[in-house]
DNA sequence: GACAAATATGAATACTGATTCATGTTTCAG
DNA sequence: CTGAAACATGAATCAGTATTCATATTTGTC
């Protein structure tokens, strides 16, 4: 409900809406706040995480927050964007020179599970974005879905997988990753990534039929 | 943050914590509030949904809310519980006299997708439970996972599906349903349930391999 | 038809927490 | 050096809203 904040800082307010520090000192403070926000919001959830919690975790005064971020919502949105970038990078790096789709599927699932086990806070933030920043949530999942879909279509054309509705398959496969990720991150399941991937990949490649 | 409310109503405070109306009139009011809460919280999310929004949607005064519910959290928890009961009933009815696991898988997916298309608000409420009522969220998913797991194990024993880690498979399959449900409910995808099920079931049974 | 229990009301309370602001302190170009 | 821009502070503001409460009204029972 907060109104859009008026510009408080002396930092440049870029076209993307971000407030950019002018000095190395400012840069460091901004990063400290962003990183504190990731931890605090990831742990307590958006609504239980107060600006006070975030700034005290970052070791700065409350007002300092508003030198670098227009609002609590804005820092959240930035975290969602960052999460998207990081996951996409991790996945594209893991799969970049794998020509076969089924192999890429396996490498991608492994990379995804490893990434989110390393960044549990970010995982929870994405989930909460459905309510706090629906646009960012939409962008996050649809960007993945689109890439997935076109990859599957290409694989069908190349005869690497059997034909089938690529969009539905894309969402189904994303769902598998997401759910297995959640089992690990939210529920603390300790099954080794390798074992999880083995089972899931066999399901994806061969299905359940005897 | 709210402290546990003191008993305000004259209604019996049951061992389960629910406040039960004594008359048909009270019963009707309670239902009206619960149903309004489902719509309002489903649409606006827990934090944006105020007691005022809920009571005005229900057509009662603000104070009336506290005759039937101890707190805003409590009405939310009750919605999550109700959602779990409804989905489980829909699924068990849809699959009760299907002996083959792969057929049951198909019927279950169909029933699930139809159910959540009919109850989009409840779907969003479950998602938000991760933050508002983690215990209820845990119970919701783990109850499903457990049933799923034992069903898969039985199917392996019966030779209906190939062997494989039942727990990981259970979470993967839940993830497929959830993701396809989300595509429909949150993103408004209009692909007919039948077509979605066909594609997904083929993936589940046969996998992607050509 | 009268009394007690149950239900309903909505204004008042109480508290939380995001955002602002007046006032320092630090940095750095010239 | 030195002054202006940048950065930092934290107490005060301000709004929203969950919850309570004193006060009706309705219902069912004798």
């Amino acid at each position: 409900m907060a109104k859009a904040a008026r510009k408080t800082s002396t930092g440049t307010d870029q076209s993307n809406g971000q407030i950019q520090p002018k000095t190395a000192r400012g840069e460091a403070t901004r990063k400290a706040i962003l990183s504190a926000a990731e931890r605090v919001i990831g742990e307590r959830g958006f609504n239980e995480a107060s600006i006070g919690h975030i700034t005290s975790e970052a070791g700065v005064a409350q007002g300092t927050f508003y030198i670098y971020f227009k609002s609590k919502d804005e820092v959240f949105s930035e975290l969602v964007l960052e999460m998207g970038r990081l996951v996409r990078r991790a996945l594209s790096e893991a799969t970049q020179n794998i020509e076969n789709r089924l192999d890429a599927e396996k490498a991608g699932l492994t990379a995804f599970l490893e990434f989110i086990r390393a960044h549990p806070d970010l995982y929870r933030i994405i989930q909460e974005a459905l309510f706090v920043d629906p646009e960012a949530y939409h962008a996050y999942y649809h960007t993945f879905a689109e890439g997935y879909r076109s990859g599957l279509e290409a694989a069908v054309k190349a005869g690497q997988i059997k034909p089938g509705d690529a969009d539905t398959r894309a969402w189904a496969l994303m769902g598998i990753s997401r759910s297995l990720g959640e089992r690990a991150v939210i529920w603390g399941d300790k099954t080794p990534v390798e074992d999880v991937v083995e089972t899931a990949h066999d399901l994806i490649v061969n299905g359940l039929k005897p």
Side-chain angles (χ1 to χ4, degrees), chain A residues 86-162:
Chain A
L86 292 175
V87 177
R88 280 192 295 278
R89 183 189 314 159
L91 288 186
S92 79
E93 280 173 5
T95 59
Q96 58 188 348
N97 37 23
I98 299 179
E99 68 302 322
N100 182 281
R101 181 73 210 180
L102 292 175
D103 296 340
E105 209 60 53
K106 188 169 193 171
L109 178 55
T110 304
F112 179 77
L113 291 178
E114 278 169 355
F115 181 88
I116 71 172
R117 287 198 194 203
H119 302 271
D121 295 336
L122 285 179
Y123 182 81
R124 307 178 104 250
I125 284 170
I126 295 295
Q127 297 309 297
E128 198 157 20
L130 171 56
F131 303 95
V132 178
D133 187 348
E135 265 186 67
Y137 185 81
H138 182 282
Y140 177 87
Y141 278 109
H142 280 76
T143 301
F144 275 115
E146 181 46 35
Y148 225 134
R149 192 180 60 70
S150 64
L152 290 172
E153 277 170 356
V156 168
K157 282 215 182 80
Q160 295 178 343
I161 63 177
K162 71 190 289 203

Side-chain angles (χ1 to χ4, degrees), chain A residues 172-191:
Chain A
L173 293 170
M174 286 201 305
I176 292 174
S177 297
R178 180 178 172 179
S179 183
L180 293 174
E182 174 161 330
R183 181 176 64 144
V185 171
I186 310 279
W187 309 125
D189 181 85
K190 301 294 192 221
T191 312

Side-chain angles (χ1 to χ4, degrees), chain A residues 9 11-14 17-21 30 66-70:
Chain A
S9 144
T12 299
D13 188 346
Q14 310 284 279
Q18 290 185 11
I19 299 166
Q20 294 295 342
R30 188 178 200 280
Y66 291 92
I67 297 175
Y68 300 103
F69 300 95
K70 287 218 216 38

